Amino acid sequence: MHVFHLVERVLARSHTLSPLSPGGILRYEIAPLPVPAIGPRGGELIRRGAQCVILHFDNPTLTALSADEPDVRRLTWQLTRLCGQDLEVLARLARQGVIPDGIQAIWAETLVYQALRRYGFATRFAMPSLRTPFARLFMLAMLAIHGRPRHLAKGGRALDHLRLGEAWISIEALMERFPAPDSRARELG
């Protein structure tokens, strides 16, 4: 496990990751899309190499939250709430122009990709490639290091059954999903 922790540190140094909010669970970077192509709902096809927002989990924050909350159900709801807050911040950053023009999509690769459907993301299994098994193994190791694998194994759902997947959404769809506070007030008023 020490090797994976070292790999995590090396990867963190080779990427410029920005936190979305203090105490949040998501970080992001602007980088080339590493998969062949994605088609955001209501948007045009985005090909490998196009600049996009790539989401990353903040593993140390997840570890701290996991250690502070012994009840798995409460932890799950807390993480769901924090993820929504982080995505709302990302939508605000896009509206403010912090996300450069021309970037059309937000993309993530994770073992818990299906959870992002709740926020309007499209999902699929990760496209098979030479790196896919290594990325999955790395993420499983991160769960073992930072998470609570014994809880994931309850109910017959073991870590070895978690598949690597992708989730993506267009910038426009994210901003529609998380509208500006003043536009929400106008809709209600």
Side-chain angles (χ1 to χ4, degrees):
M1 288 299 185
H2 293 294
V3 170
F4 289 104
H5 196 45
L6 177 64
V7 169
E8 180 185 28
R9 286 187 197 166
V10 169
L11 287 173
R13 286 187 183 152
S14 65
H15 294 268
T16 305
L17 301 179
S18 301
L20 284 164
S21 59
I25 61 171
L26 296 177
R27 298 179 292 170
Y28 76 98
E29 69 174 319
I30 307 297
L33 182 67
V35 296
I38 57 174
R41 292 179 179 155
E44 63 185 59
L45 192 67
I46 299 169
R47 302 206 181 278
R48 181 190 309 268
Q51 293 291 303
C52 66
V53 174
I54 298 179
L55 295 178
H56 300 268
F57 284 108
D58 187 337
N59 291 323
T61 299
L62 289 172
T63 300
L65 290 169
S66 180
D68 289 346
E69 180 54 71
D71 184 275
V72 140
R73 287 187 186 111
R74 283 199 304 253
L75 177 63
T76 300
W77 285 112
Q78 182 180 13
L79 295 178
T80 300
R81 183 179 50 78
L82 290 170
C83 184
Q85 289 172 351
D86 282 349
L87 291 172
E88 188 170 357
V89 169
L90 184 58
R92 184 172 57 242
L93 293 176
R95 276 191 291 281
Q96 293 170 348
V98 174
I99 305 300
D101 286 340
I103 293 184
Q104 300 170 314
I106 300 157
W107 178 84
E109 183 177 55
T110 178
L111 297 173
V112 294
Y113 62 98
Q114 292 178 348
L116 292 171
R117 286 181 185 168
R118 145 187 330 258
Y119 304 105
F121 282 71
T123 62
R124 69 179 177 203
F125 290 128
M127 302 301 273
S129 72
L130 216 54
R131 68 173 280 290
T132 304
F134 297 106
R136 181 180 175 274
L137 181 61
F138 175 75
M139 290 183 196
L140 286 170
M142 291 301 97
L143 277 176
I145 291 169
H146 297 290
R148 294 177 167 203
R150 65 186 178 276
H151 294 315
L152 292 172
K154 284 186 176 178
R157 184 169 179 205
L159 287 176
D160 60 350
H161 293 109
L162 290 176
R163 300 247 345 240
L164 185 65
E166 301 172 43
W168 66 92
I169 190 170
S170 71
I171 296 283
E172 293 77 23
L174 183 78
M175 290 189 296
E176 286 175 16
R177 184 88 176 187
F178 297 98
D182 59 338
S183 66
R184 273 187 257 163
R186 280 192 298 252
E187 289 173 9
L188 296 173

